[in-house]
mmCIF file of all heavy atoms in Angstrom:
data_model
loop_
_atom_site.group_PDB
_atom_site.id
_atom_site.type_symbol
_atom_site.label_atom_id
_atom_site.label_comp_id
_atom_site.label_asym_id
_atom_site.label_seq_id
_atom_site.Cartn_x
_atom_site.Cartn_y
_atom_site.Cartn_z
ATOM 1 N N PHE A 3 47.513 5.094 -21.035
ATOM 2 C CA PHE A 3 47.876 3.873 -20.333
ATOM 3 C C PHE A 3 46.620 3.061 -20.069
ATOM 4 O O PHE A 3 45.501 3.596 -20.156
ATOM 5 C CB PHE A 3 48.533 4.205 -18.989
ATOM 6 C CG PHE A 3 49.867 4.923 -19.117
ATOM 7 C CD1 PHE A 3 49.909 6.268 -19.399
ATOM 8 C CD2 PHE A 3 51.048 4.232 -18.952
ATOM 9 C CE1 PHE A 3 51.123 6.940 -19.518
ATOM 10 C CE2 PHE A 3 52.270 4.877 -19.072
ATOM 11 C CZ PHE A 3 52.316 6.230 -19.353
ATOM 12 N N ARG A 4 46.800 1.811 -19.753
ATOM 13 C CA ARG A 4 45.656 0.979 -19.393
ATOM 14 C C ARG A 4 46.067 -0.057 -18.344
ATOM 15 O O ARG A 4 47.236 -0.436 -18.249
ATOM 16 C CB ARG A 4 45.050 0.289 -20.612
ATOM 17 C CG ARG A 4 45.940 -0.787 -21.258
ATOM 18 C CD ARG A 4 45.297 -1.287 -22.539
ATOM 19 N NE ARG A 4 46.083 -2.352 -23.144
ATOM 20 C CZ ARG A 4 45.835 -2.886 -24.333
ATOM 21 N NH1 ARG A 4 44.804 -2.445 -25.055
ATOM 22 N NH2 ARG A 4 46.597 -3.857 -24.801
ATOM 23 N N GLN A 5 45.089 -0.507 -17.592
ATOM 24 C CA GLN A 5 45.327 -1.516 -16.574
ATOM 25 C C GLN A 5 44.145 -2.467 -16.547
ATOM 26 O O GLN A 5 43.010 -2.048 -16.305
ATOM 27 C CB GLN A 5 45.558 -0.910 -15.195
ATOM 28 C CG GLN A 5 45.983 -1.917 -14.158
ATOM 29 C CD GLN A 5 46.507 -1.273 -12.887
ATOM 30 O OE1 GLN A 5 46.184 -0.126 -12.588
ATOM 31 N NE2 GLN A 5 47.349 -1.993 -12.157
ATOM 32 N N ALA A 6 44.423 -3.721 -16.785
ATOM 33 C CA ALA A 6 43.429 -4.769 -16.698
ATOM 34 C C ALA A 6 43.516 -5.443 -15.334
ATOM 35 O O ALA A 6 44.575 -5.424 -14.699
ATOM 36 C CB ALA A 6 43.633 -5.792 -17.815
ATOM 37 N N PRO A 7 42.427 -6.067 -14.880
ATOM 38 C CA PRO A 7 42.452 -6.750 -13.570
ATOM 39 C C PRO A 7 43.582 -7.764 -13.496
ATOM 40 O O PRO A 7 43.765 -8.575 -14.403
ATOM 41 C CB PRO A 7 41.090 -7.423 -13.504
ATOM 42 C CG PRO A 7 40.216 -6.564 -14.356
ATOM 43 C CD PRO A 7 41.084 -6.127 -15.502
ATOM 44 N N GLY A 8 44.341 -7.717 -12.413
ATOM 45 C CA GLY A 8 45.413 -8.652 -12.201
ATOM 46 C C GLY A 8 46.680 -8.385 -12.969
ATOM 47 O O GLY A 8 47.631 -9.171 -12.904
ATOM 48 N N LYS A 9 46.730 -7.292 -13.713
ATOM 49 C CA LYS A 9 47.910 -6.952 -14.508
ATOM 50 C C LYS A 9 48.430 -5.580 -14.103
ATOM 51 O O LYS A 9 47.717 -4.747 -13.550
ATOM 52 C CB LYS A 9 47.569 -6.963 -15.989
ATOM 53 C CG LYS A 9 47.103 -8.306 -16.517
ATOM 54 C CD LYS A 9 46.875 -8.266 -18.026
ATOM 55 C CE LYS A 9 48.161 -8.049 -18.778
ATOM 56 N NZ LYS A 9 47.930 -8.092 -20.263
ATOM 57 N N GLU A 10 49.707 -5.368 -14.403
ATOM 58 C CA GLU A 10 50.306 -4.068 -14.171
ATOM 59 C C GLU A 10 49.822 -3.045 -15.198
ATOM 60 O O GLU A 10 49.425 -3.413 -16.318
ATOM 61 C CB GLU A 10 51.835 -4.176 -14.233
ATOM 62 C CG GLU A 10 52.455 -4.981 -13.116
ATOM 63 C CD GLU A 10 53.969 -4.966 -13.160
ATOM 64 O OE1 GLU A 10 54.537 -4.549 -14.195
ATOM 65 O OE2 GLU A 10 54.601 -5.361 -12.174
ATOM 66 N N ARG A 11 49.877 -1.797 -14.819
ATOM 67 C CA ARG A 11 49.547 -0.756 -15.747
ATOM 68 C C ARG A 11 50.591 -0.727 -16.875
ATOM 69 O O ARG A 11 51.800 -0.852 -16.623
ATOM 70 C CB ARG A 11 49.519 0.595 -15.031
ATOM 71 C CG ARG A 11 49.128 1.774 -15.911
ATOM 72 C CD ARG A 11 48.730 2.981 -15.103
ATOM 73 N NE ARG A 11 49.761 3.369 -14.146
ATOM 74 C CZ ARG A 11 49.570 4.226 -13.163
ATOM 75 N NH1 ARG A 11 48.387 4.803 -12.990
ATOM 76 N NH2 ARG A 11 50.576 4.518 -12.337
ATOM 77 N N GLU A 12 50.123 -0.572 -18.096
ATOM 78 C CA GLU A 12 51.008 -0.573 -19.235
ATOM 79 C C GLU A 12 50.772 0.655 -20.098
ATOM 80 O O GLU A 12 49.638 1.139 -20.206
ATOM 81 C CB GLU A 12 50.845 -1.837 -20.066
ATOM 82 C CG GLU A 12 49.484 -1.979 -20.709
ATOM 83 C CD GLU A 12 49.375 -3.133 -21.674
ATOM 84 O OE1 GLU A 12 50.434 -3.590 -22.190
ATOM 85 O OE2 GLU A 12 48.257 -3.608 -21.922
ATOM 86 N N GLY A 13 51.820 1.116 -20.725
ATOM 87 C CA GLY A 13 51.688 2.187 -21.685
ATOM 88 C C GLY A 13 51.084 1.681 -22.978
ATOM 89 O O GLY A 13 51.500 0.644 -23.490
ATOM 90 N N VAL A 14 50.110 2.370 -23.477
ATOM 91 C CA VAL A 14 49.435 2.022 -24.715
ATOM 92 C C VAL A 14 49.982 2.801 -25.894
ATOM 93 O O VAL A 14 50.331 2.245 -26.931
ATOM 94 C CB VAL A 14 47.905 2.229 -24.599
ATOM 95 C CG1 VAL A 14 47.220 1.943 -25.936
ATOM 96 C CG2 VAL A 14 47.342 1.379 -23.499
ATOM 97 N N SER A 15 50.056 4.112 -25.719
ATOM 98 C CA SER A 15 50.499 4.977 -26.809
ATOM 99 C C SER A 15 50.918 6.321 -26.262
ATOM 100 O O SER A 15 50.377 6.800 -25.248
ATOM 101 C CB SER A 15 49.363 5.157 -27.827
ATOM 102 O OG SER A 15 49.773 5.925 -28.929
ATOM 103 N N GLY A 16 51.872 6.951 -26.915
ATOM 104 C CA GLY A 16 52.324 8.285 -26.540
ATOM 105 C C GLY A 16 52.438 9.188 -27.737
ATOM 106 O O GLY A 16 52.585 8.724 -28.871
ATOM 107 N N ILE A 17 52.405 10.485 -27.462
ATOM 108 C CA ILE A 17 52.481 11.486 -28.519
ATOM 109 C C ILE A 17 53.300 12.668 -28.040
ATOM 110 O O ILE A 17 53.204 13.074 -26.887
ATOM 111 C CB ILE A 17 51.062 11.886 -28.983
ATOM 112 C CG1 ILE A 17 51.120 12.784 -30.233
ATOM 113 C CG2 ILE A 17 50.307 12.588 -27.854
ATOM 114 C CD1 ILE A 17 49.754 12.934 -30.897
ATOM 115 N N SER A 18 54.125 13.196 -28.923
ATOM 116 C CA SER A 18 55.005 14.308 -28.579
ATOM 117 C C SER A 18 54.205 15.596 -28.411
ATOM 118 O O SER A 18 53.012 15.677 -28.695
ATOM 119 C CB SER A 18 56.083 14.491 -29.642
ATOM 120 O OG SER A 18 55.497 14.791 -30.893
ATOM 121 N N VAL A 19 54.887 16.606 -27.908
ATOM 122 C CA VAL A 19 54.241 17.893 -27.614
ATOM 123 C C VAL A 19 53.522 18.452 -28.821
ATOM 124 O O VAL A 19 52.369 18.909 -28.728
ATOM 125 C CB VAL A 19 55.276 18.895 -27.069
ATOM 126 C CG1 VAL A 19 54.684 20.302 -27.003
ATOM 127 C CG2 VAL A 19 55.761 18.467 -25.695
ATOM 128 N N SER A 20 54.170 18.428 -29.958
ATOM 129 C CA SER A 20 53.598 18.982 -31.179
ATOM 130 C C SER A 20 52.605 18.051 -31.856
ATOM 131 O O SER A 20 51.842 18.491 -32.723
ATOM 132 C CB SER A 20 54.703 19.345 -32.168
ATOM 133 O OG SER A 20 55.318 18.182 -32.666
ATOM 134 N N GLY A 21 52.627 16.784 -31.491
ATOM 135 C CA GLY A 21 51.831 15.795 -32.185
ATOM 136 C C GLY A 21 52.524 15.184 -33.387
ATOM 137 O O GLY A 21 51.954 14.345 -34.052
ATOM 138 N N GLY A 22 53.778 15.608 -33.632
ATOM 139 C CA GLY A 22 54.491 15.132 -34.808
ATOM 140 C C GLY A 22 55.078 13.741 -34.691
ATOM 141 O O GLY A 22 55.444 13.160 -35.710
ATOM 142 N N SER A 23 55.170 13.212 -33.472
ATOM 143 C CA SER A 23 55.732 11.888 -33.251
ATOM 144 C C SER A 23 54.821 11.093 -32.357
ATOM 145 O O SER A 23 54.264 11.633 -31.395
ATOM 146 C CB SER A 23 57.124 11.993 -32.613
ATOM 147 O OG SER A 23 58.038 12.684 -33.438
ATOM 148 N N THR A 24 54.680 9.823 -32.678
ATOM 149 C CA THR A 24 53.844 8.916 -31.888
ATOM 150 C C THR A 24 54.523 7.583 -31.716
ATOM 151 O O THR A 24 55.430 7.203 -32.487
ATOM 152 C CB THR A 24 52.464 8.715 -32.548
ATOM 153 O OG1 THR A 24 52.652 8.125 -33.849
ATOM 154 C CG2 THR A 24 51.723 10.031 -32.699
ATOM 155 N N ASP A 25 54.086 6.837 -30.703
ATOM 156 C CA ASP A 25 54.566 5.485 -30.506
ATOM 157 C C ASP A 25 53.455 4.652 -29.889
ATOM 158 O O ASP A 25 52.552 5.186 -29.258
ATOM 159 C CB ASP A 25 55.821 5.445 -29.641
ATOM 160 C CG ASP A 25 56.671 4.198 -29.876
ATOM 161 O OD1 ASP A 25 56.347 3.416 -30.780
ATOM 162 O OD2 ASP A 25 57.661 4.022 -29.136
ATOM 163 N N TYR A 26 53.551 3.339 -30.091
ATOM 164 C CA TYR A 26 52.499 2.427 -29.667
ATOM 165 C C TYR A 26 53.093 1.160 -29.073
ATOM 166 O O TYR A 26 54.154 0.694 -29.495
ATOM 167 C CB TYR A 26 51.617 2.026 -30.847
ATOM 168 C CG TYR A 26 50.947 3.186 -31.533
ATOM 169 C CD1 TYR A 26 51.567 3.872 -32.553
ATOM 170 C CD2 TYR A 26 49.679 3.601 -31.126
ATOM 171 C CE1 TYR A 26 50.962 4.945 -33.175
ATOM 172 C CE2 TYR A 26 49.066 4.671 -31.737
ATOM 173 C CZ TYR A 26 49.701 5.351 -32.761
ATOM 174 O OH TYR A 26 49.090 6.405 -33.376
ATOM 175 N N ALA A 27 52.384 0.613 -28.090
ATOM 176 C CA ALA A 27 52.734 -0.719 -27.598
ATOM 177 C C ALA A 27 52.530 -1.723 -28.725
ATOM 178 O O ALA A 27 51.665 -1.577 -29.589
ATOM 179 C CB ALA A 27 51.858 -1.065 -26.414
ATOM 180 N N ASP A 28 53.351 -2.779 -28.705
ATOM 181 C CA ASP A 28 53.237 -3.804 -29.733
ATOM 182 C C ASP A 28 51.816 -4.384 -29.797
ATOM 183 O O ASP A 28 51.344 -4.746 -30.884
ATOM 184 C CB ASP A 28 54.252 -4.921 -29.497
ATOM 185 C CG ASP A 28 55.680 -4.502 -29.767
ATOM 186 O OD1 ASP A 28 55.896 -3.478 -30.458
ATOM 187 O OD2 ASP A 28 56.587 -5.206 -29.303
ATOM 188 N N SER A 29 51.157 -4.469 -28.672
ATOM 189 C CA SER A 29 49.861 -5.093 -28.607
ATOM 190 C C SER A 29 48.782 -4.298 -29.349
ATOM 191 O O SER A 29 47.740 -4.882 -29.703
ATOM 192 C CB SER A 29 49.437 -5.305 -27.164
ATOM 193 O OG SER A 29 49.405 -4.077 -26.465
ATOM 194 N N VAL A 30 49.004 -3.014 -29.583
ATOM 195 C CA VAL A 30 47.993 -2.204 -30.243
ATOM 196 C C VAL A 30 48.511 -1.599 -31.553
ATOM 197 O O VAL A 30 47.711 -0.954 -32.267
ATOM 198 C CB VAL A 30 47.494 -1.070 -29.327
ATOM 199 C CG1 VAL A 30 46.992 -1.650 -28.012
ATOM 200 C CG2 VAL A 30 48.588 -0.018 -29.083
ATOM 201 N N LYS A 31 49.755 -1.802 -31.872
ATOM 202 C CA LYS A 31 50.329 -1.200 -33.066
ATOM 203 C C LYS A 31 49.583 -1.672 -34.322
ATOM 204 O O LYS A 31 49.313 -2.866 -34.491
ATOM 205 C CB LYS A 31 51.816 -1.555 -33.161
ATOM 206 C CG LYS A 31 52.593 -0.744 -34.180
ATOM 207 C CD LYS A 31 54.110 -0.981 -34.003
ATOM 208 C CE LYS A 31 54.571 -0.484 -32.645
ATOM 209 N NZ LYS A 31 56.047 -0.667 -32.465
ATOM 210 N N GLY A 32 49.221 -0.734 -35.140
ATOM 211 C CA GLY A 32 48.459 -1.038 -36.341
ATOM 212 C C GLY A 32 46.958 -1.027 -36.153
ATOM 213 O O GLY A 32 46.207 -1.066 -37.133
ATOM 214 N N ARG A 33 46.515 -0.994 -34.898
ATOM 215 C CA ARG A 33 45.083 -0.991 -34.598
ATOM 216 C C ARG A 33 44.621 0.320 -33.949
ATOM 217 O O ARG A 33 43.458 0.701 -34.109
ATOM 218 C CB ARG A 33 44.714 -2.145 -33.661
ATOM 219 C CG ARG A 33 44.996 -3.515 -34.258
ATOM 220 C CD ARG A 33 44.358 -4.610 -33.392
ATOM 221 N NE ARG A 33 44.929 -4.636 -32.051
ATOM 222 C CZ ARG A 33 44.258 -4.355 -30.933
ATOM 223 N NH1 ARG A 33 42.972 -4.019 -31.005
ATOM 224 N NH2 ARG A 33 44.856 -4.433 -29.745
ATOM 225 N N PHE A 34 45.498 0.959 -33.200
ATOM 226 C CA PHE A 34 45.160 2.184 -32.468
ATOM 227 C C PHE A 34 45.852 3.390 -33.127
ATOM 228 O O PHE A 34 46.933 3.273 -33.672
ATOM 229 C CB PHE A 34 45.630 2.097 -31.016
ATOM 230 C CG PHE A 34 44.764 1.264 -30.110
ATOM 231 C CD1 PHE A 34 44.022 0.195 -30.601
ATOM 232 C CD2 PHE A 34 44.705 1.553 -28.760
ATOM 233 C CE1 PHE A 34 43.240 -0.578 -29.740
ATOM 234 C CE2 PHE A 34 43.935 0.778 -27.903
ATOM 235 C CZ PHE A 34 43.217 -0.278 -28.402
ATOM 236 N N THR A 35 45.218 4.540 -33.001
ATOM 237 C CA THR A 35 45.795 5.805 -33.435
ATOM 238 C C THR A 35 45.656 6.830 -32.341
ATOM 239 O O THR A 35 44.548 7.058 -31.831
ATOM 240 C CB THR A 35 45.102 6.314 -34.706
ATOM 241 O OG1 THR A 35 45.243 5.347 -35.774
ATOM 242 C CG2 THR A 35 45.733 7.625 -35.160
ATOM 243 N N ILE A 36 46.765 7.449 -31.975
ATOM 244 C CA ILE A 36 46.753 8.544 -31.013
ATOM 245 C C ILE A 36 46.885 9.871 -31.761
ATOM 246 O O ILE A 36 47.610 9.963 -32.750
ATOM 247 C CB ILE A 36 47.873 8.383 -29.955
ATOM 248 C CG1 ILE A 36 47.723 9.398 -28.828
ATOM 249 C CG2 ILE A 36 49.246 8.476 -30.590
ATOM 250 C CD1 ILE A 36 48.668 9.140 -27.651
ATOM 251 N N SER A 37 46.187 10.875 -31.294
ATOM 252 C CA SER A 37 46.281 12.182 -31.895
ATOM 253 C C SER A 37 45.980 13.243 -30.845
ATOM 254 O O SER A 37 45.478 12.927 -29.758
ATOM 255 C CB SER A 37 45.328 12.323 -33.090
ATOM 256 O OG SER A 37 43.992 12.147 -32.707
ATOM 257 N N ARG A 38 46.289 14.488 -31.161
ATOM 258 C CA ARG A 38 45.995 15.572 -30.230
ATOM 259 C C ARG A 38 45.602 16.812 -30.989
ATOM 260 O O ARG A 38 46.068 17.047 -32.124
ATOM 261 C CB ARG A 38 47.200 15.853 -29.290
ATOM 262 C CG ARG A 38 48.433 16.369 -29.982
ATOM 263 C CD ARG A 38 49.635 16.377 -29.030
ATOM 264 N NE ARG A 38 49.458 17.334 -27.938
ATOM 265 C CZ ARG A 38 50.216 17.358 -26.836
ATOM 266 N NH1 ARG A 38 51.166 16.446 -26.672
ATOM 267 N NH2 ARG A 38 49.988 18.263 -25.892
ATOM 268 N N ASP A 39 44.792 17.619 -30.364
ATOM 269 C CA ASP A 39 44.365 18.911 -30.899
ATOM 270 C C ASP A 39 44.778 19.940 -29.871
ATOM 271 O O ASP A 39 44.078 20.162 -28.880
ATOM 272 C CB ASP A 39 42.884 18.934 -31.148
ATOM 273 C CG ASP A 39 42.410 20.235 -31.820
ATOM 274 O OD1 ASP A 39 43.163 21.214 -31.813
ATOM 275 O OD2 ASP A 39 41.273 20.233 -32.353
ATOM 276 N N ASN A 40 45.931 20.563 -30.067
ATOM 277 C CA ASN A 40 46.450 21.495 -29.077
ATOM 278 C C ASN A 40 45.586 22.748 -28.943
ATOM 279 O O ASN A 40 45.533 23.365 -27.872
ATOM 280 C CB ASN A 40 47.891 21.872 -29.418
ATOM 281 C CG ASN A 40 48.874 20.762 -29.098
ATOM 282 O OD1 ASN A 40 48.542 19.773 -28.452
ATOM 283 N ND2 ASN A 40 50.111 20.932 -29.560
ATOM 284 N N ALA A 41 44.886 23.121 -30.002
ATOM 285 C CA ALA A 41 44.017 24.257 -29.914
ATOM 286 C C ALA A 41 42.835 24.020 -28.984
ATOM 287 O O ALA A 41 42.276 24.948 -28.422
ATOM 288 C CB ALA A 41 43.515 24.655 -31.316
ATOM 289 N N GLU A 42 42.460 22.743 -28.815
ATOM 290 C CA GLU A 42 41.343 22.391 -27.956
ATOM 291 C C GLU A 42 41.770 21.686 -26.684
ATOM 292 O O GLU A 42 40.906 21.228 -25.921
ATOM 293 C CB GLU A 42 40.374 21.486 -28.729
ATOM 294 C CG GLU A 42 39.760 22.170 -29.956
ATOM 295 C CD GLU A 42 38.839 23.301 -29.596
ATOM 296 O OE1 GLU A 42 38.270 23.284 -28.483
ATOM 297 O OE2 GLU A 42 38.694 24.222 -30.423
ATOM 298 N N ASN A 43 43.065 21.606 -26.416
ATOM 299 C CA ASN A 43 43.587 20.923 -25.220
ATOM 300 C C ASN A 43 43.054 19.505 -25.085
ATOM 301 O O ASN A 43 42.708 19.063 -23.995
ATOM 302 C CB ASN A 43 43.252 21.726 -23.955
ATOM 303 C CG ASN A 43 44.071 22.984 -23.813
ATOM 304 O OD1 ASN A 43 44.807 23.391 -24.716
ATOM 305 N ND2 ASN A 43 43.938 23.650 -22.658
ATOM 306 N N THR A 44 43.013 18.797 -26.186
ATOM 307 C CA THR A 44 42.378 17.503 -26.210
ATOM 308 C C THR A 44 43.265 16.436 -26.844
ATOM 309 O O THR A 44 43.907 16.680 -27.856
ATOM 310 C CB THR A 44 41.035 17.558 -26.958
ATOM 311 O OG1 THR A 44 40.179 18.530 -26.324
ATOM 312 C CG2 THR A 44 40.327 16.225 -26.914
#
């Protein structure tokens, strides 16, 4: 999530438990990539 001054907090990107599914806010779609490494809790 992110929050800019004077704006509400917004969701940027999410990822499923396994990492197999992702979603992005329209404002960052195509520019941002979310990923996770479950072995490293990261």
Side-chain angles (χ1 to χ4, degrees):
F3 296 78
R4 68 187 182 187
Q5 187 167 24
K9 298 184 66 177
E10 293 184 346
R11 183 163 55 192
E12 64 173 338
V14 176
S15 184
I17 188 166
S18 62
V19 169
S20 68
S23 298
T24 60
D25 204 5
Y26 300 88
D28 288 343
S29 58
V30 306
K31 193 169 297 181
R33 298 191 297 114
F34 283 28
T35 300
I36 189 171
S37 61
R38 65 190 294 166
D39 185 344
N40 285 350
E42 298 293 333
N43 287 8
T44 302

